[in-house]
Amino acid sequence: MVRGLLGKLAGRSLSAAGKWQQQQLRRLNIHEYQGAELMSKHGINVPKGVAVGSLDEVRKALQEVFPNQSEVVVKSQILAGGRGLGTFKNGFQGGVKIVKADKVEDIAGKMLGQILVTKQTGPQGKVVSKVYLAEKLSLVNEMYFAITLDRITAGPLIIACKKGGTSIEDLAEKHPELIVKVSIDVFKGITDEDAAKVVDGLSPKVADRNSSIEQVKKLYELFCKCDCTLLEINPIAETADSQLVAADAKLNFDDNAAFRQKEIFALRDPTQEDPREVAAAKADLNYIGLDGEIGCMVNGAGLAMATMDIIKLHGGTPANFLDVGGNASEDQVVEAFKILTSDDKVKAILVNIFGGIMKCDVIASGIVNAAKQVQLKVPVVVRLEGTNVDQGKRILKESGMALITAEDLDDAAEKAVKASAS
């Protein structure tokens, strides 16, 4: 829920996207318990907690980690927000509960292995494979803290609010004066003055000011060292013993930094992602699953967007964004067709290739090989233009495949929409 709002606040001069939508994973998203472990390693105060995946592990954690706790917080772990207000498909209400220690096993059992639906998951929901058991803190004040990337200043932006634990979007809309933004110079790094401004924005009531400033600096250090694109803590809270604690956290990481953040990227949970997008990533294809009926395979992001637009113009709906790039191999084209045909909603496939670096004959050979490996049950419309177009068209013609050819993009889109309706 934060990405869009963070962007809005950073640009207006604050989200992960208010409304649910599927989107390309440009940013690695990790579970809350993983984020807490990472922050703890960087010296940031977090509640004591442990992730468990079975009732045996729940019992063991209660004995070893929480032997003297009267109450424990039980948090379902899925890569989506709104868990506390979510509903399980088994009818159980709420993905975050504060319960008596003797009820933890029962509550965890109603979450583990079940599908949790929130306003960010879409109606299909996500499976809860782990729950996070955390100590119940005595909180005296809840605030909001986030670091994101600001396009205007071309650097990190820290956002602080003295009210937290609730929808930051609503707060920003109704009380914008409570939102404090501090831009950080990437060359200088965070200064004591910057951190002090953030702490003033948080307005802690009991936490030590100097200790709070150090916590802010450590959070910024984590953001930079780990190549984060988002670090959001809602709430960052004060405890009865005057500590500033990250009571909840959301961390995203730049996929471009995977080569130097191997330990972090090993935390990726593919079971929480669209399996088609996982398969596409393994094949080095850019894929985003959508809800339409016309599968698209295009080379180049701009042409892919234009293809999706013209499909809509002709009354159809694209089932995906799929960019095979400028130098895809035949194997990648075959994998692309496997991904497209794995979607039961796809009623037709539109291949739109403008050959530059990408050669039309390579695409054509990939289509023919894909047809041999994948049983094509839907019509395929092909528009080829550019490098080696004649060779590509000849390969397709000699294959004997029942393809629908098109002369230009408008013609291709019109034929694809008509084919999907028949």
Side-chain angles (χ1 to χ4, degrees), residues 119-318:
K119 56 186 174 182
Q120 288 191 18
T121 64
Q124 77 280 8
K126 289 183 180 291
V127 176
V128 176
S129 299
K130 287 183 180 291
V131 296
Y132 186 39
L133 306 182
E135 67 174 318
K136 179 180 178 293
L137 298 174
S138 178
L139 305 181
V140 297
N141 186 29
E142 297 185 0
M143 302 153 287
Y144 176 90
F145 176 95
I147 309 177
T148 187
L149 295 172
D150 181 15
R151 291 186 178 184
I152 293 178
T153 61
L157 178 72
I158 301 181
I159 300 165
C161 180
K162 64 182 181 181
K163 291 188 178 182
T166 185
S167 170
I168 191 65
E169 292 91 340
D170 293 341
L171 276 173
E173 184 177 348
K174 297 175 182 177
H175 302 286
E177 72 281 359
L178 298 179
I179 308 296
V180 174
K181 294 163 285 182
V182 180
S183 297
I184 308 299
D185 187 318
V186 289
F187 299 105
K188 293 180 181 178
I190 190 168
T191 64
D192 288 343
E193 184 181 358
D194 292 332
K197 289 179 181 177
V198 174
V199 172
D200 289 341
L202 294 173
S203 301
K205 298 176 180 178
V206 298
D208 179 76
R209 178 178 172 79
N210 291 332
S211 296
S212 298
I213 288 174
E214 289 305 310
Q215 284 289 295
V216 169
K217 291 166 71 174
K218 288 178 180 179
L219 285 164
Y220 179 80
E221 183 181 276
L222 181 154
F223 183 87
C224 294
K225 282 188 174 181
C226 296
D227 290 294
C228 294
T229 56
L230 172 69
L231 190 163
E232 185 192 34
I233 304 173
N234 189 20
I236 187 167
E238 295 178 272
T239 61
D241 58 354
S242 303
Q243 291 285 315
L244 194 66
V245 177
D248 194 2
K250 179 178 179 61
L251 289 88
N252 290 166
F253 306 85
D254 191 338
D255 281 0
N256 290 313
F259 72 96
R260 65 182 175 211
Q261 301 290 353
K262 291 182 171 61
E263 186 176 339
I264 290 175
F265 276 76
L267 300 176
R268 175 166 254 150
D269 183 358
T271 66
Q272 291 284 305
E273 301 172 14
D274 186 327
R276 299 168 300 175
E277 294 184 5
V278 174
K282 288 180 179 178
D284 200 22
L285 299 168
N286 297 310
Y287 177 91
I288 304 171
L290 301 171
D291 294 325
E293 71 284 342
I294 299 176
C296 306
M297 185 171 75
V298 190
N299 67 313
L303 186 59
M305 295 297 289
T307 302
M308 293 164 65
D309 283 345
I310 203 162
I311 286 173
K312 290 286 289 184
L313 183 65
H314 283 281
T317 310

Side-chain angles (χ1 to χ4, degrees), residues 62-139:
L62 289 172
Q63 293 172 0
E64 298 180 0
V65 183
F66 306 104
N68 301 314
Q69 296 281 333
S70 60
E71 291 183 306
V72 176
V73 185
V74 183
K75 300 183 174 184
S76 54
Q77 298 295 284
I78 60 170
L79 295 180
R83 293 170 297 163
L85 298 176
T87 302
F88 288 88
K89 287 195 173 182
N90 63 3
F92 187 63
Q93 298 286 325
V96 177
K97 298 284 187 181
I98 299 175
V99 299
K100 300 292 185 183
D102 59 355
K103 300 293 184 182
V104 170
E105 185 177 343
D106 176 54
I107 297 299
K110 293 177 180 177
M111 296 181 179
L112 284 170
Q114 301 299 318
I115 297 174
L116 177 60
V117 179
T118 77
K119 56 186 174 182
Q120 288 191 18
T121 64
Q124 77 280 8
K126 289 183 180 291
V127 176
V128 176
S129 299
K130 287 183 180 291
V131 296
Y132 186 39
L133 306 182
E135 67 174 318
K136 179 180 178 293
L137 298 174
S138 178
L139 305 181

